[in-house]
Amino acid sequence: MVEVFKPTSLAEALRIRADKHAIPFAGGTDLMVRFRARDGMAPSFKSPILFVDALPEFNTIRMFNGGLKIGASLPLSILAGDRGAVNGGTGTGATSGVVPDAAVLATIPGVLKAAAAEVGAPALRNRATIGGNLANASPAGDSIAALYALSAEIILVSLSGERMIPIEKFILGPGEISLKEDEIIHTIHIPAPLPDWTYWRKVGTRRANALTKISLAAAASIKDGRVESCSFAFGAVGPRVIRVHEIESLLQSRFPVVQEAKLKEIIAEAKKFASSMITPIDDQRSTAKYRKTVALNLIGDAIASLVEELKLGD
Amino acid sequence: MIRLRINGLEREVEIPHPMYRLLDVLREDIGLTGAKEGCGEGECGACAVLLNGVLVNSCLIPASQVDEADILTPEGLAETEAGKLLAKCFTECHGAQCGFCTPGMMMAAAELLFTNRKPTEVEIREALAGNICRCTGYDMIIDAVQLATERGANIW
Amino acid sequence: MKSISQSIPRPDGMAKADGSALYVADLQFDGTEGGRSPDGAVALGSESGLSKDMLLGRFYRSPYPRGKIRRLQLPECPPGYHIISAADIPQGGKNEIPMAASRDMPCFAENEIRYAGQIVALVAGPDAYEIERLIRAIELEVDETPVVKNIDEALALKGGAIHGEDNIFCRVDLDEGEVDEVFAGAASVVEGVYETGFQEQFYMEGQGLIAWRTGNKCGVRGSMQCPYYVHHAVSHVLGLKHDEIRVIADTIGGGFGGKEDYPEIMGAPLAVASWVSGKPIRMLMDRVEDMAFTSKRHPSRCVYRSALDSEGRILAIDATVDLDGGAYETYTKIVLMRAVFHSLGVYAIPVFRIRGRGIATNTVPSGAFRGFGAPQSLFGIEMHMEEIARRNRCEVLDYKRNYFLKKGDTTVTGGIFRDEIILDKLIAEAERLSGYSGKRIKLGRGKGQGIGMSFILHGCGFTGDGEQKIIKGKAVLKKHRDDKVEILCAAVDFGQGPQTTFRKVVARVLGIEPNTVIFNYPDTDFVPDSGPTVASRTIMIVGYLLQKAAEELKAIWVEGEEQVVEQNYQMPPGMSWDQERLRGDSYATYGWGVNVCEVELDFLTWETKVIGAWAVFDVGRAVDHRVVNGQIQGGMSQALGYGAMEKLEVDSKGQFRQITMADYMVPTSVDFPRTEALTVDNPYLYGAFGAKGMGEMVHDGGHAAFAAAVEQACGKACTTIPLVPETLMEIMEA
Ligand SMILES: Cc1cc2nc3c(=O)[nH]c(=O)nc-3n(C[C@@H](O)[C@@H](O)[C@H](O)COP(=O)(O)OP(=O)(O)OC[C@H]3O[C@@H](n4cnc5c(N)ncnc54)[C@H](O)[C@@H]3O)c2cc1C
Ligand code: FES
Ligand code: FES
């Protein structure tokens, strides 16, 4: 029978993690499905379990140097701005009843909020956490695509201290992350400046409670009517979320564009860059061809929306 | 041994396994079979309960994780004024056909109305999006929640 | 007096809403012999199969899809555990599941395997872990043969025939006039191929049964639509007499046909296990097992060829209707009959040839699902009419109108449409609600928006003389001494409403309150065989028997006395049927409907969005508006799911690829808008208060209306469902 631990402090959690190599367990929405057993049998966990949902500091969200720091166990319902969660206490770490500051919630970048809001359905979002979504490292993980677009940094802690790692280095492959056996994800840091424009489009198998077939998360900072920096990240089109840096340099400080023809040219070029990087697969949810075609279509949509934003700023 | 407050009563439960599910505690140990297992994977909402007032799928929660928590099940909801009203509205509007999704729907509807006294149809649909119903096409469930919104002005 | 259609609160609603309704997984032994639940509705004692030491049962299923069984080695069983296989079928019993005309499916695989997941053995015992261990210890050796995954491979006889010499389980052919002659003289011919996929019933409560033995009696209870079907199957497999079997239907969490045949397939081996071991055994399927191995809707391929004259009028139709029956015939012949008999839809076509085939493959045996063949062929004819109208450059509704059936017309089997056909009224209402014709013109073609209309007819009750010859339905009303009236029949309420409507019918005749009428879930020890709860027959046939019984009871009513009246089914006068030649009145009467669906198409992602759904039906008379509209809305949601998102494919072993709720997509509350539902009265003389069957036709047309709307939106022909975005992309890029 597996051992379970319910630490009440971070220090205790880290000690157990180091001694027992226990699996961090937050909302359990991935773990309970992965280790699901048949009727009459207990979930088939083999390693010790470390509940990290109730650690108070894991349930916080706060401003930090113009960016945001999000505790690993913050439930997605809070990021999504679901009514129930904000007004009624939190789901994960439910016993804590933490209600974050409304002013802080208002700063959550649109792309992250929208991505979180499209994860599963309300009851699921009340338990599912951002840290869990990240650590699960599914190429279809919705908050992951958003965090790529936001150039998030992951803060990992262990008894020997803290380290910070960019999300692109943290995620190694499907279900594979750069996490040492004694480490826990502590915080997700979204560095300043928070973006002025974001884009989120998820194509799922239906309108709610659906896993992602393809997604595009994008963000940009705008200065003097020009794109200062931007990012385009695609979900579910390869073994990892794919950020196409070439598109970003293509768009940087190129705008505003007025002529249609020029815009078309830029979009075509952006698609070319993406096309060489996107290598989706056929599976029970969709086809490689569909995923690729739609991913490319979404680039055009996103760039057009960015250009709209620049015009408005004029 | 874990302690839970279930429908207002303190219960101590000897769980056979540390990762034993909350749904099994309710159904097998306490004998509260209102919450149903439709999928066991968090997809259908048939097992929904309120955990410290928040809607969750009890098939995805190890009971030991929520030791000391407050749980409201469909049976507990049914004892409250809000639950009685909702049940009446579901019955009048024919929001329940086979009824298998209904207890979970009641929980989701209750949570919605507790936090949003006057939801729009879109908000109702979104709040119920994690509860699959194969019988009704949802329309009469929406009718029931709308009727409960009207009639329960002083409850919610 | 209030109209019978005026809705009443559902009598079964409160128990379902407050969580007290007991489904098979909820049943707990109450410690008595013959105890019942507090409301008296549910049997809880040991006599009805419950006990403290109820064993857990689980199937061992073949991992191989096809081949001869070389060896089956069962492990040593520890005390208290049982492994049951074909060898355990008692003397006098047969290793066959008896279904309609077919006997080909064994209870336990014995000589050959025909699909991955076929039941080979059943392991029962107290502990799930030990059962799992025993299942893993079973050794099955099979000489494998190449797998037939679909109709094409079946017709190519890949790996040799699975069934007979040609893989054809059954044929249903219809001929009228000289088809070849007409085609030879036609000005033009329009041809189209129309395909539909598998569809999962997706009842929310998985399959679940309990079997037990008391002395020389075998019992089965649980989630089922047809207690007497299970009764019959158990009697056949165990070789027991009628009164040696007891079957109880419990509260059931949805069926849609999925609990018509499967409880026989699952209940027979479970009964054998319980009979041999002497122990009560409960078997509950989890979602994955249920989705992977229980019967689905038959995939279909219909080919329609129409001969047109120089004005574009249809002279003749030559059609084939092929259904993928899966590994065993089971109910395929009857499904095929319904598919063929509905294959010309609501249109009067003077000359036709229709060839229907039920085809054997190595997939899970296809089975019953709401509509039972009609949703498949109606999709074919409706999409074909769209195509012909397009060729003729004329509005499809105007074109279809030329062919609408009228009272007195002949049916495809040479019977007569005896009752008034009110399609024009239904269309007028559908137009009023949806604004169809105006939108159809305004939205243009290929511009991302579209609206489609489909037409439905659905034969009510069993096909042909099934009611008279096979079912012989019987219903009873019993007045107790306290003057409380009890309904005794085998009809099950799986959500479609007889708990409400039957009570209303009886109460209305007797002038009593509906909720005073007792109507428990059927128990074959107490209720007569009023037939299975299928074929849209419940309110029309059984309801009518109850109405007649109530009228008789009213006439002889004596206060304070126990009185029993019985009614037996009689074929309506004038109806005739020749089962050999398939000629005559294939159905006593028909329900009719018009469905309209409006969509928007996203050209970036090829996602469709339904923005309006309307459904107008002639159900005879609605015995309860909310019951009927609830069927209409639920049926529309399933049909739209069928048309838009419910993709179910097979892999290289013929096994389903979408076997979790995360992968098989049914509509959620945010996928489709409200279905505006309406009925127009057209009472039927031999149905309860004028009611006709309607539970299935609500699933007959939504997918075709959707596909027609998508055709308009994308400007291309859409002949295959489901029209998932991946498919639409292929269509639009072709
Ligand atoms: C019905 C359903 C629908 C879903 N829909 C979507 C969807 O639409 N989009 C989507 O992106 N996802 C979806 N998911 C998956 C989503 O719920 C999870 O990815 C969730 O966010 C994981 O969070 P959790 O807290 O539940 O993780 P857990 O299950 O607790 O853990 C997941 C992984 O993260 C690790 N972990 C957790 N916390 C930490 C930590 N602090 N440090 C290190 N490792 C940690 C665990 O060890 C485990 O490997 C769905 C799941 C279900 C069941
Ligand atoms: S049983 Fe828990 S969500 Fe389906
Ligand atoms: S009423 Fe049957 S699933 Fe909702």
Side-chain angles (χ1 to χ4, degrees):
Chain A
M1 234 180 250
V2 300
E3 279 181 290
V4 302
F5 301 95
K6 240 183 131 173
T8 50
S9 73
L10 179 61
E12 191 189 347
L14 293 178
R15 209 171 322 111
I16 299 165
R17 174 80 172 140
D19 290 352
K20 306 271 181 175
H21 296 165
I23 328 176
F25 186 113
T29 61
D30 279 319
L31 288 171
M32 290 298 276
V33 175
R34 198 180 318 151
F35 292 100
R36 176 177 183 216
R38 302 193 58 166
D39 179 34
M41 297 162 75
S44 57
F45 290 94
K46 298 279 179 323
S47 334
I49 302 287
L50 178 65
F51 290 128
V52 294
D53 59 308
L55 297 172
E57 62 202 288
F58 275 48
N59 276 286
T60 57
I61 174 166
R62 61 193 170 87
M63 299 294 293
F64 178 79
N65 284 347
L68 269 178
K69 278 197 165 181
I70 305 172
S73 296
L74 197 74
L76 296 175
S77 53
I78 295 211
L79 292 171
D82 290 351
R83 254 174 169 314
V86 179
N87 296 348
T90 64
T92 309
T95 39
S96 72
V98 176
V99 181
D101 182 351
V104 177
L105 293 177
T107 65
I108 297 172
V111 62
L112 182 58
K113 184 171 173 167
E118 284 199 60
V119 170
L124 184 95
R125 292 195 291 273
N126 282 335
R127 295 296 293 172
T129 67
I130 185 163
N133 199 244
L134 186 61
N136 195 48
S138 157
D142 289 320
S143 71
I144 302 182
L147 292 175
Y148 263 71
L150 295 169
S151 307
E153 295 160 333
I154 316 304
I155 298 167
L156 308 170
V157 288
S158 68
L159 284 179
S160 42
E162 209 181 271
R163 71 180 170 116
M164 181 139 103
I165 177 170
I167 187 163
E168 282 181 76
K169 295 241 167 66
F170 178 68
I171 297 198
L172 305 172
E176 275 180 71
I177 50 176
S178 165
L179 184 77
K180 299 197 185 110
E181 279 195 318
D182 59 348
E183 281 178 334
I184 303 177
I185 304 172
H186 181 278
T187 306
I188 288 121
H189 177 222
I190 300 174
L194 295 179
D196 302 301
W197 166 90
T198 65
Y199 177 92
W200 170 254
R201 179 74 191 258
K202 159 171 173 168
V203 182
T205 37
R206 65 182 164 203
R207 278 166 204 285
N209 219 1
L211 296 176
T212 298
K213 294 198 285 199
I214 144 113
S215 65
L216 172 56
S221 292
I222 296 169
K223 203 172 176 189
D224 304 330
R226 282 173 184 276
V227 177
E228 191 174 44
S229 64
C230 68
S231 56
F232 281 75
F234 295 88
V237 290
R240 297 190 285 165
V241 169
I242 292 166
R243 187 158 157 190
V244 186
H245 292 281
E246 287 82 351
I247 300 184
E248 301 166 15
S249 24
L250 174 74
L251 298 184
Q252 245 153 43
S253 65
R254 289 281 304 258
F255 290 111
V257 181
V258 252
Q259 310 98 313
E260 280 287 309
K262 186 71 191 160
L263 180 59
K264 277 209 176 116
E265 205 176 285
I266 291 175
I267 289 175
E269 210 166 329
K271 282 187 179 180
K272 216 162 35 181
F273 287 129
S275 185
S276 61
M277 294 189 66
I278 292 174
T279 52
I281 53 161
D282 281 330
D283 65 10
Q284 73 274 30
R285 290 189 200 113
S286 190
T287 63
K289 185 175 168 203
Y290 176 81
R291 287 185 160 115
K292 183 149 190 169
T293 316
V294 171
L296 298 183
N297 286 353
L298 293 183
I299 296 177
D301 190 48
I303 294 179
S305 131
L306 174 56
V307 170
E308 270 311 300
E309 176 77 18
L310 293 170
K311 277 192 202 148
L312 290 179
D314 267 356
Chain B
M1 177 80 78
I2 57 160
R3 287 165 52 104
L4 293 169
R5 193 177 165 83
I6 300 175
N7 300 333
L9 293 177
E10 299 292 340
R11 312 290 294 241
E12 291 195 341
V13 184
E14 194 69 65
I15 49 173
H17 185 282
M19 297 306 278
Y20 196 63
R21 305 177 307 171
L22 177 59
L23 177 62
D24 297 324
V25 168
L26 299 175
R27 292 180 53 85
E28 306 296 325
D29 299 84
I30 316 278
L32 293 171
T33 56
K36 311 286 179 207
E37 177 156 353
C39 67
E41 301 194 330
E43 297 279 347
C44 76
C47 64
V49 299
L50 298 191
L51 168 68
N52 296 341
V54 174
L55 188 74
V56 297
N57 292 329
S58 63
C59 70
L60 291 185
I61 299 180
S64 61
Q65 189 184 17
V66 295
D67 194 5
E68 306 282 333
D70 189 284
I71 310 288
L72 186 72
T73 75
E75 292 88 345
L77 176 64
E79 296 288 306
T80 66
E81 227 188 304
K84 284 183 188 139
L85 171 67
L86 267 171
K88 252 187 120 228
C89 295
F90 267 73
T91 302
E92 278 179 39
C93 294
H94 291 222
Q97 287 188 21
C98 81
F100 203 77
C101 72
T102 314
M105 286 286 180
M106 297 273 297
M107 300 310 297
E111 197 217 33
L112 168 69
L113 294 177
F114 283 140
T115 52
N116 180 358
R117 299 179 53 191
K118 282 210 176 106
T120 62
E121 175 167 343
V122 171
E123 286 172 328
I124 298 173
R125 286 187 181 270
E126 275 168 7
L128 302 179
N131 295 73
I132 304 282
C133 174
R134 188 59 157 168
C135 296
T136 62
Y138 305 98
D139 299 335
M140 290 188 182
I141 294 174
I142 311 292
D143 293 346
V145 178
Q146 285 174 332
L147 184 63
T149 311
E150 271 166 42
R151 286 203 193 150
N154 54 347
I155 295 183
W156 309 113
Chain C
M1 205 196 244
K2 283 192 290 196
S3 151
I4 186 120
S5 300
Q6 189 165 344
S7 185
I8 64 166
R10 280 182 99 92
D12 53 342
M14 285 310 268
K16 286 174 172 173
D18 68 17
S20 63
L22 297 175
Y23 299 78
V24 61
D26 304 336
L27 295 173
Q28 282 154 352
F29 180 46
D30 72 350
T32 67
E33 213 171 280
R36 299 189 76 81
S37 62
D39 60 357
V42 183
L44 295 177
S46 58
E47 262 179 16
S48 51
L50 305 183
S51 87
K52 257 197 151 50
D53 57 354
M54 195 148 42
L55 303 182
L56 210 62
R58 200 151 282 169
F59 287 130
Y60 168 73
R61 296 172 176 279
S62 167
Y64 307 100
R66 182 182 183 190
K68 282 254 157 319
I69 296 181
R70 201 175 334 123
R71 194 174 72 102
L72 171 66
Q73 182 70 46
L74 304 177
E76 196 65 36
C77 246
Y81 290 81
H82 309 269
I83 304 185
I84 309 293
S85 64
D88 296 294
I89 294 196
Q91 233 176 3
K94 292 206 177 86
N95 187 17
E96 300 171 340
I97 309 283
M99 286 190 184
S102 75
R103 295 275 181 282
D104 65 336
M105 183 161 181
C107 178
F108 293 104
E110 200 168 2
N111 305 312
E112 60 164 346
I113 297 294
R114 284 201 190 177
Y115 67 96
Q118 186 166 353
I119 297 166
V120 179
L122 191 158
V123 183
D127 180 68
Y129 294 90
E130 183 60 14
I131 292 175
E132 236 6 76
R133 188 190 70 77
L134 289 169
I135 285 182
R136 262 186 244 122
I138 294 176
E139 290 172 34
L140 178 71
E141 287 172 24
V142 168
D143 291 320
E144 286 197 77
T145 319
V147 187
V148 169
K149 302 185 292 292
N150 51 45
I151 291 177
D152 287 328
E153 292 180 357
L155 295 177
L157 300 182
K158 182 180 172 195
I162 303 162
H163 170 90
E165 284 169 3
D166 55 4
N167 277 340
I168 312 284
F169 283 131
C170 48
R171 296 175 190 269
V172 174
D173 296 342
L174 297 178
D175 292 276
E176 189 66 53
E178 298 300 325
V179 174
D180 293 327
E181 245 168 59
V182 175
F183 268 81
S188 64
V189 173
V190 178
E191 176 168 340
V193 183
Y194 308 94
E195 292 179 298
T196 64
F198 284 105
Q199 189 185 15
E200 156 68 33
Q201 293 87 353
F202 213 95
Y203 30 73
M204 284 302 297
E205 177 207 28
Q207 304 274 355
L209 295 172
I210 297 168
W212 75 97
R213 177 176 185 164
T214 14
N216 270 331
K217 197 155 176 164
C218 180
V220 177
R221 70 182 299 176
S223 192
M224 62 180 83
Q225 291 176 225
C226 314
Y228 274 100
Y229 275 5
V230 174
H231 194 278
H232 177 58
V234 171
S235 131
H236 192 82
V237 170
L238 288 179
L240 296 179
K241 291 203 290 287
H242 185 88
D243 57 358
E244 291 169 331
I245 301 159
R246 178 179 182 191
V247 178
I248 305 172
D250 285 300
T251 319
I252 142 173
F256 315 113
K259 291 170 184 168
E260 171 174 348
D261 46 52
Y262 206 78
E264 298 169 66
I265 295 170
M266 172 181 176
L270 190 63
V272 173
S274 177
W275 186 254
V276 171
S277 66
K279 295 281 183 207
I281 308 173
R282 170 152 50 188
M283 182 182 277
L284 303 174
M285 283 196 190
D286 65 24
R287 184 57 59 178
V288 172
E289 180 175 15
D290 197 304
M291 291 184 73
F293 302 121
T294 65
S295 50
K296 312 282 180 264
R297 184 187 296 290
H298 292 70
S300 74
R301 179 193 292 155
C302 296
V303 180
Y304 282 82
R305 290 174 65 236
S306 289
L308 308 184
D309 67 12
S310 55
E311 314 274 294
R313 283 184 297 242
I314 302 175
L315 302 171
I317 288 184
D318 185 6
T320 59
V321 175
D322 285 339
L323 299 182
D324 176 349
Y328 291 97
E329 182 177 336
T330 64
Y331 285 107
T332 291
K333 172 90 187 262
I334 332 185
V335 174
L336 180 65
M337 277 165 70
R338 195 171 274 279
V340 167
F341 295 169
H342 288 74
S343 62
L344 295 183
V346 298
Y347 311 107
I349 306 297
V351 177
F352 54 83
R353 172 167 56 212
I354 300 158
R355 295 285 173 268
R357 296 184 294 189
I359 294 166
T361 62
N362 294 118
T363 56
V364 168
S366 303
F369 191 159
R370 199 178 206 174
F372 215 68
Q376 290 96 317
S377 60
L378 285 174
F379 176 74
I381 185 70
E382 288 299 289
M383 300 319 287
H384 187 58
M385 293 298 272
E386 294 277 340
E387 176 71 41
I388 302 178
R390 242 180 349 251
R391 295 278 180 98
N392 282 326
R393 295 177 192 290
C394 101
E395 254 315 309
V396 58
L397 175 55
D398 299 334
Y399 189 79
K400 286 177 172 177
R401 262 187 213 277
N402 298 324
Y403 301 92
F404 282 162
L405 289 162
K406 297 179 301 297
K407 180 176 175 175
D409 280 353
T410 341
T411 71
V412 285
T413 54
I416 295 168
F417 287 103
R418 291 196 165 72
D419 303 311
E420 215 59 61
I421 297 174
I422 57 167
L423 276 175
D424 284 331
K425 281 191 201 162
L426 302 184
I427 294 172
E429 293 295 347
E431 285 277 17
R432 183 175 65 77
L433 293 174
S434 69
Y436 168 82
S437 286
K439 288 180 184 168
R440 180 89 178 176
I441 291 163
K442 198 186 82 198
L443 298 179
R445 195 169 162 80
K447 301 207 176 114
Q449 286 175 294
I451 189 163
M453 180 180 269
S454 67
F455 293 94
I456 296 143
L457 89 167
H458 197 97
C460 306
F462 263 76
T463 302
D465 55 5
E467 293 289 349
Q468 172 100 335
K469 291 262 168 66
I470 302 167
I471 305 298
K472 304 186 184 98
K474 177 193 283 190
V476 169
L477 277 184
K478 180 168 179 178
K479 182 168 84 66
H480 295 274
R481 281 233 175 77
D482 60 2
D483 289 340
K484 284 253 173 66
V485 178
E486 180 168 4
I487 295 172
L488 296 169
C489 70
V492 175
D493 191 320
F494 41 90
Q496 85 287 29
Q499 284 282 330
T500 308
T501 54
F502 280 11
R503 284 189 170 96
K504 280 178 84 173
V505 166
V506 169
R508 172 60 67 108
V509 173
L510 294 171
I512 57 180
E513 279 302 313
N515 49 18
T516 65
V517 177
I518 303 165
F519 180 22
N520 292 330
Y521 279 80
D523 177 337
T524 60
D525 265 10
F526 302 102
V527 304
D529 186 359
S530 60
T533 320
V534 303
S536 305
R537 61 186 293 281
T538 302
I539 188 66
M540 181 173 107
I541 307 248
V542 186
Y544 187 64
L545 293 178
L546 289 170
Q547 182 185 344
K548 292 282 133 194
E551 284 164 6
E552 192 182 328
L553 177 61
K554 186 175 185 179
I556 61 167
W557 186 283
V558 182
E559 251 169 61
E561 236 177 60
E562 182 176 297
Q563 292 176 294
V564 176
V565 293
E566 182 183 304
Q567 280 286 328
N568 290 285
Y569 177 80
Q570 281 174 341
M571 217 161 172
M575 235 190 110
S576 75
W577 179 250
D578 176 347
Q579 178 66 24
E580 277 295 297
R581 295 170 48 237
L582 302 182
R583 295 295 290 175
D585 296 299
S586 38
Y587 303 100
T589 190
Y590 295 80
W592 304 84
V594 180
N595 285 178
V596 182
C597 177
E598 186 175 356
V599 302
E600 282 171 4
L601 176 61
D602 184 332
F603 287 125
L604 281 182
T605 62
W606 297 282
E607 289 172 291
T608 53
K609 181 175 187 195
V610 174
I611 59 170
W614 300 267
V616 182
F617 283 100
D618 160 11
V619 302
R621 179 174 281 136
V623 169
D624 186 289
H625 269 320
R626 279 200 166 260
V627 166
V628 167
N629 289 353
Q631 290 300 291
I632 295 175
Q633 291 169 333
M636 177 64 89
S637 163
Q638 289 181 344
L640 290 176
Y642 185 40
M645 60 167 78
E646 296 184 23
K647 183 179 70 179
L648 186 52
E649 305 160 310
V650 295
D651 64 12
S652 58
K653 284 171 83 183
Q655 282 181 295
F656 298 118
R657 289 179 81 194
Q658 290 80 16
I659 55 168
T660 64
M661 280 202 186
D663 289 333
Y664 185 81
M665 293 290 107
V666 299
T668 68
S669 54
V670 296
D671 284 290
F672 301 128
R674 171 177 295 271
T675 298
E676 299 296 341
L678 188 78
T679 54
V680 178
D681 277 0
N682 183 20
Y684 172 58
L685 205 52
Y686 303 98
F689 286 90
K692 302 198 258 197
M694 60 84 52
E696 291 177 283
M697 69 170 164
V698 295
H699 193 315
D700 282 352
H703 50 305
F706 169 78
V710 175
E711 282 192 339
Q712 183 179 15
C714 74
K716 298 268 175 83
C718 296
T719 52
T720 301
I721 51 167
L723 288 164
V724 292
E726 288 78 3
T727 307
L728 278 171
M729 177 186 79
E730 299 290 344
I731 289 173
M732 293 192 65
E733 303 223 311

